[in-house]
Amino acid sequence: MDPALLIGAVLAFGALVGMMTIEHVSIMSIFLPGPLLLVFGTTLGVGIASGALKDAINSFKIILPSILAKKANPAKSIDELVAISEKARANGLLALEQEAEGVDDPFLKGALQSVADGTDADELRELLEDEIQGRTAQARQGAKFFMSMGGYAPTVGIIGTVVSLTHVLENLSSPDELGPLIASAFIATLWGLISANLMWLPLAGRVKRMMELEVTRMTLLMEGVLAIQEGTQPRLLGARLRAMVPKVDLPAEGKTVKSTKVGDKEDIAA
């Protein structure tokens, strides 16, 4: 898996705990049941209410695949496509049916099977583009859902603070209790900001980025399969596909990439 989310979360929450330690703030003082219930319960509630129930369920289903998504490695996909191209050039497009049987990636498997079945190039491109859109629809909705929760959480926190300050005003006759009551009142705002900026928004960004990488991967496979169907020479195919990928994502010249199946890349939007 790509460790960016884990590293970022450790740094963010570590900095927060570090600040509280330096300022001699008790960590347990912010874990008040009332504000926690209000912020997380209400944020989740309004998030669900803003769409369909299925949207919320599918959004939470996408969390684990997004966290565990493997690091993109387009060079391996390109090498695999070039190898398939060489076999198709030597044995004909009908040989792709046999090649498809050994592919684990459903997207590539279906594309190769369609070529072997003689599907028209324009129709195949349209079919694969529609499949890409369909496979990433869940991730797009998930990113939108968590983004909306990141917008709701701070406002919900303010609501909790206003409610708590109302209780503070009821106790003006007890000056000794005002300090703790006011401090407790702002815990809801604190958790609204923490949950939005350290949880929901980063999670939305993660889901969106993993979706973008998956779209890029499937687009690369699509262009490679269509080029194979056109009869593009394997060496030219490799150069053409590498031109589609940023140089930083490709190994330095002279280095070889260990061959693996294209299907090893996890489809986070399936």
Side-chain angles (χ1 to χ4, degrees):
M1 60 171 284
D2 188 306
L5 182 63
L6 178 61
I7 294 173
V10 170
L11 286 175
F13 283 99
L16 176 62
V17 172
M19 183 276 291
M20 295 180 66
T21 302
I22 293 173
E23 296 293 332
H24 303 289
V25 177
S26 173
I27 295 178
M28 297 306 300
S29 66
I30 68 172
F31 289 94
L32 300 180
L36 286 170
L37 176 62
L38 174 72
V39 171
F40 285 96
T42 304
T43 300
L44 179 60
V46 295
I48 293 174
S50 65
L53 180 59
K54 185 178 180 180
D55 294 337
I57 295 174
N58 289 336
S59 296
F60 281 102
K61 285 182 179 179
I62 203 69
I63 293 178
L64 188 59
S66 297
I67 294 175
L68 300 179
K70 297 179 182 179
K71 184 178 180 181
N73 197 332
K76 293 181 180 179
S77 298
I78 292 173
D79 290 345
E80 187 73 15
L81 287 167
V82 170
I84 293 174
S85 175
E86 291 172 348
K87 293 179 181 179
R89 193 173 180 84
N91 304 317
L93 293 179
L94 289 177
L96 294 181
E97 184 172 4
Q98 184 176 358
E99 287 296 315
E101 295 177 357
V103 174
D104 296 329
D105 186 333
F107 180 77
L108 180 59
K109 186 183 186 74
L112 293 175
Q113 185 63 56
S114 295
V115 173
D117 291 341
T119 305
D120 179 75
D122 292 335
E123 292 180 356
L124 180 58
R125 176 178 290 277
E126 184 176 352
L127 173 66
L128 295 179
E129 288 177 347
D130 290 343
E131 187 172 351
I132 291 173
Q133 289 294 317
R135 284 177 175 268
T136 56
Q138 183 181 0
R140 286 196 301 274
Q141 179 56 47
K144 181 180 179 181
F145 178 77
F146 294 123
M147 188 71 69
S148 67
M149 291 184 68
Y152 293 135
T155 304
V156 171
I158 293 175
I159 293 174
T161 297
V162 172
V163 172
S164 296
L165 287 177
T166 302
H167 179 59
V168 170
L169 295 176
E170 294 175 348
N171 291 273
L172 291 178
S173 59
S174 304
D176 294 341
E177 299 180 4
L178 291 181
L181 287 174
I182 293 175
S184 298
F186 284 98
I187 296 299
T189 296
L190 175 63
W191 274 110
L193 295 172
I194 289 176
S195 62
N197 294 284
L198 273 65
M199 293 177 59
W200 305 126
L201 293 180
L203 184 57
R206 172 76 174 193
V207 171
K208 182 179 179 181
R209 180 53 180 159
M210 292 302 102
M211 177 200 67
E212 292 172 347
L213 292 175
E214 182 67 1
V215 169
T216 299
R217 185 186 74 87
M218 289 192 291
T219 300
L220 189 71
L221 295 178
M222 178 185 71
E223 295 297 338
V225 170
L226 290 172
I228 292 173
Q229 185 183 36
E230 293 173 0
T232 303
Q233 197 271 343
R235 185 180 296 274
L236 179 60
L237 171 63
R240 177 178 171 184
L241 295 178
R242 286 183 175 85
M244 297 173 57
V245 179
K247 290 185 177 180
V248 294
D249 293 333
L250 294 173
E253 292 187 8
K255 292 186 178 181
T256 58
V257 179
K258 184 178 179 181
S259 178
T260 59
K261 292 182 179 180
V262 178
D264 288 345
K265 177 68 177 73
E266 180 177 356
D267 183 356
I268 71 165

